[in-house]
Amino acid sequence: MIPTPDLSHLTAKDYDTVYEPAEDTFLLLDALEADEQQLKSLHPTISLEIGSGSGCVTSFIGKILGPSVLYLCTDINPHACRCTLSTGAQNDVALDAINGSFANPLSARLKHAVDIVLFNPPYVPTVPYEASAAQGARGIEGAWAGGLDGMSVTDVFLECVEELISDRGRFYLVAVAENNIPEIRERMRTRHGLQSEIVLSRRAGRERLSVLKFVRDPSMVRT
Ligand SMILES: C[S@@+](CC[C@H](N)C(=O)[O-])C[C@H]1O[C@@H](n2cnc3c(N)ncnc32)[C@H](O)[C@@H]1O
């Protein structure tokens, strides 16, 4: 069993501004642990986490895959980037945290180069204005406010993730039932040539959480 990263350096004050790891985070860790052998056999070179928050998830995958991988993280929240860096240091995982939206600061250089993409997005359904205001404010509300069907932030990323992943790449996404998981899977298959499976699902309070994994449809691997 891979231990949960040490977060003892983070304080209640940090969690006023940065998402505190919760059931969704831990479900993603469990999904990565379930895929441990598969991930190792990929021999990945680049891992990219969008919305790294505390840095718990990338520190965890860093423990699975070791120091030969380049670990990149982005977050719109500058406090989250600071916490991500300190969590990497606390857990001896060398990672880079970039303050920006999605993969925008990196996408030109990462085209079809990323072997592992991770995103636990703000997936909670809210009124649309709340999500766009939260994206602009770059604070704690941006951790959960997801707009219509909880999908307004995720949808933006779903349109560009195919451009990032390598031929052997995989993309792990956390979603809740309200996000309409069958529709997401069908859209990614037909529009972007990414097939998917549900790695894990779990009920947490009122939320029915799932981790989806997308890989390139073998018949559509670029030549
Ligand atoms: C549900 S939290 C997940 C945090 C962490 N990955 C975890 O699993 O505990 C969502 C994170 O996404 C970040 N975020 C929201 N919109 C973003 C965007 N457009 N680009 C990058 N990060 C974003 C938030 O600031 C927050 O840290």
Side-chain angles (χ1 to χ4, degrees), residues 3-197:
T4 303
D6 179 4
L7 299 174
S8 59
H9 58 294
L10 299 180
T11 64
K13 195 164 181 299
D14 290 315
Y15 295 133
D16 285 343
T17 49
V18 176
Y19 189 74
E20 181 168 5
E23 289 300 326
D24 48 352
T25 315
F26 299 126
L27 188 69
L28 181 53
L29 301 192
D30 290 347
L32 296 173
E33 185 165 17
D35 275 1
E36 178 181 0
Q37 292 314 321
Q38 221 185 82
L39 288 167
K40 284 179 171 162
S41 64
L42 261 186
H43 301 294
T45 53
I46 303 180
S47 164
L48 170 67
E49 182 180 6
I50 307 298
S52 56
S54 65
C56 180
V57 176
T58 289
S59 296
F60 185 80
I61 201 165
K63 286 292 177 201
I64 296 179
L65 296 173
S68 60
V69 179
L70 174 65
Y71 298 102
L72 300 171
C73 303
T74 72
D75 206 296
I76 43 164
N77 177 342
H79 308 293
C81 292
R82 278 193 282 277
C83 289
T84 293
L85 285 175
S86 62
T87 298
Q90 180 84 357
N91 291 277
D92 293 322
V93 174
L95 49 75
D96 289 314
I98 298 122
N99 185 209
S101 188
F102 304 112
N104 297 352
L106 304 163
S107 44
R109 275 173 293 163
L110 291 183
K111 196 161 183 220
H112 296 306
V114 186
D115 299 311
I116 301 166
V117 180
L118 308 161
F119 193 18
N120 178 9
Y123 55 68
V124 177
T126 62
V127 293
Y129 168 76
E130 215 172 329
S132 50
Q135 289 286 300
R138 308 192 307 158
I140 187 72
E141 303 81 4
W144 49 267
L148 193 65
D149 299 329
M151 283 300 290
S152 64
V153 179
T154 307
D155 273 343
V156 177
F157 189 64
L158 293 184
E159 284 306 304
C160 50
V161 64
E162 187 278 331
E163 285 274 294
L164 289 169
I165 61 172
S166 66
D167 280 348
R168 64 205 170 128
R170 43 256 292 119
F171 165 43
Y172 292 87
L173 175 72
V174 177
V176 286
E178 292 85 343
N179 299 155
N180 194 351
I181 289 169
E183 191 280 328
I184 296 173
R185 297 182 65 191
E186 179 61 10
R187 174 160 39 117
M188 294 306 282
R189 190 183 66 78
T190 54
R191 212 188 286 177
H192 300 289
L194 297 179
Q195 54 180 230
S196 58
E197 64 179 279

